[in-house]
Amino acid sequence: MHMLLRTILHVWLSRFGKRAGHYDVVSTRFRVLPTDLDVLRHMNNGVYLSIFDVGRFDMLRRNGVWQIFEDRGWYPVVASETITFRKSLKLWQRFAVESRIIGFDDRAAYVQHRAVVDGEIYAEAFIKARFLKRAGGTVPLAELLDAVGRTPVGLELPEWLIRWGDDVRLPSTRTAAPSVWE
């Protein structure tokens, strides 16, 4: 419930936030709440991804991409995500989520998130997202790039991230690939 309230708060706050270009870093401020903690009294690892969802939504609203999606009947869905932790966030600690679109492969967009305290990175996540049409089907990459613009020169996906995106893709059928469960 608390994440829903945070999301609603940031939907409202994003209306007043500084506007950004489609590929700019957008900073969203947060504070660690008691409902964010795990039994070790630091922010739960799963909460980071939920907070990054809120930061991503704030970014998409402030950089104008969300309005493009709304106008065209598109919506993003997370296909995969990976996160790395460096330091723990503690109760009541203030931090910022820095979010930016970092590029595209042939099927998806990639977003980078960082949890930052006083310029120090505490955690970093990479999100691979696909885009669907409310009328059905996926948004072709060429159509997406026509809407949001090509990735700026110098902003390129790291090779490891492209490999990761391919390596973690699930098969379309259960029998398409061997599983560690079998």
Side-chain angles (χ1 to χ4, degrees):
M1 180 65 167
H2 80 281
M3 200 55 66
L4 175 62
L5 296 175
R6 265 190 169 151
T7 302
I8 292 168
L9 172 65
H10 281 280
V11 165
W12 182 75
L13 289 173
S14 68
R15 296 173 52 185
F16 307 105
K18 181 181 175 189
R19 299 294 120 197
H22 292 172
Y23 295 98
D24 291 347
V25 174
V26 172
S27 184
T28 308
R29 293 181 306 189
F30 293 92
R31 182 186 293 265
V32 179
L33 301 177
T35 52
D36 298 333
L37 302 180
D38 62 16
V39 297
L40 300 175
R41 296 186 312 272
H42 60 232
M43 194 157 91
N44 178 282
N45 60 318
V47 172
Y48 282 86
L49 294 174
S50 294
I51 293 282
F52 289 164
D53 281 347
V54 176
R56 187 167 50 259
F57 186 71
D58 181 49
M59 174 196 67
L60 292 172
R61 295 212 8 134
R62 290 172 48 199
N63 71 11
V65 172
W66 188 261
Q67 190 60 53
I68 292 169
F69 293 164
E70 286 287 309
D71 293 345
R72 295 172 186 242
W74 301 346
Y75 62 98
V77 293
V78 171
S80 50
E81 52 195 349
T82 185
I83 188 167
T84 303
F85 302 96
R86 195 173 152 275
K87 280 182 126 175
S88 297
L89 289 169
K90 307 280 191 221
L91 183 62
W92 306 122
Q93 190 170 16
R94 292 176 187 262
F95 65 101
V97 170
E98 296 176 351
S99 306
R100 70 179 181 152
I101 300 169
I102 58 172
F104 305 88
D105 66 15
D106 59 332
R107 299 170 43 115
Y110 290 81
V111 175
Q112 177 184 30
H113 296 289
R114 290 178 169 171
V116 178
V117 176
D118 297 326
E120 185 176 3
I121 300 167
Y122 277 50
E124 181 176 54
F126 292 91
I127 311 301
K128 179 180 179 180
R130 302 283 311 273
F131 298 89
L132 304 178
K133 296 180 179 183
R134 294 203 186 282
T138 60
V139 177
L141 183 61
E143 199 173 330
L144 181 65
L145 292 176
D146 283 343
V148 301
R150 300 234 171 253
T151 308
V153 174
L155 186 61
E156 295 181 20
L157 289 178
E159 186 61 38
W160 73 265
L161 190 59
I162 296 168
R163 281 192 316 275
W164 165 80
D166 291 338
D167 288 347
V168 299
R169 186 178 319 161
L170 291 175
S172 57
T173 65
R174 182 167 188 206
T175 59
S179 169
V180 296
W181 297 100
E182 298 170 355

